[in-house]
Amino acid sequence: MKQKQLFTGLLSFLVLLSACSKKDQETIDTTYPEIDVVTASAFPKQCSEVQRGQPFTAKIHVSDNKELGSVSIDIHHNFDHHSHSTEVSACNMEAVKTPVKPMVLIQTIPVPVGQTNHVVEQVINIPADVDPGDYHFLIRVTDKEGWQTIKGLSFKIR
């Protein structure tokens, strides 16, 4: 009976040890995804201008070392000159003003499963009757592990 208990205990220990060593061999992803806004085809770029009543195509280059999850964009006015910019260069700002009918857009764009590099191409319609002026274009990319990178660009709607 003691031999059976000893054998069962030893077998349980070996199974537990085997499971631990497999887990130790897995690498934990701690690398943030990347957003490339300097590639020639990327749009918008810092200080870009778009026209009211005209759609434009946002072209966002994203990558991750293991697997991408999703991309989201957030467009909102910057009439009060607050800042989210992650870019070094500043844009010429218009005078501070009170919004009347500013554009607001928050949209999540899925990335196909298994991708480590992806170019998001999203048509964005700018209503003809929104307030012209200074805006922010925030890009958030999240990888499958949940790590997130944010780029904040300033642009104008004319």
Side-chain angles (χ1 to χ4, degrees), residues 46-76:
Q46 179 74 346
C47 305
S48 291
E49 294 186 7
V50 296
Q51 299 296 316
R52 292 187 295 169
Q54 299 292 318
F56 73 91
T57 301
K59 197 165 188 182
I60 305 163
H61 298 254
V62 294
S63 62
D64 187 61
N65 64 319
K66 293 213 173 183
E67 186 175 355
L68 292 162
S70 66
V71 174
S72 66
I73 55 174
D74 173 342
I75 297 174
H76 62 272

Side-chain angles (χ1 to χ4, degrees), residues 68-102:
L68 292 162
S70 66
V71 174
S72 66
I73 55 174
D74 173 342
I75 297 174
H76 62 272
H77 78 82
N78 186 22
F79 302 159
D80 59 358
H81 294 184
H82 68 276
S83 181
H84 311 281
S85 183
T86 57
E87 302 306 290
V88 175
S89 63
C91 304
N92 292 327
M93 304 279 290
E94 297 177 7
V96 172
K97 66 181 182 181
T98 302
V100 176
K101 190 171 183 184

Side-chain angles (χ1 to χ4, degrees), residues 5-21:
Q5 288 175 336
L6 180 61
F7 178 74
T8 303
L10 183 58
L11 184 59
S12 297
F13 175 74
L14 290 174
V15 169
L16 182 62
L17 184 62
S18 171
C20 289
S21 64

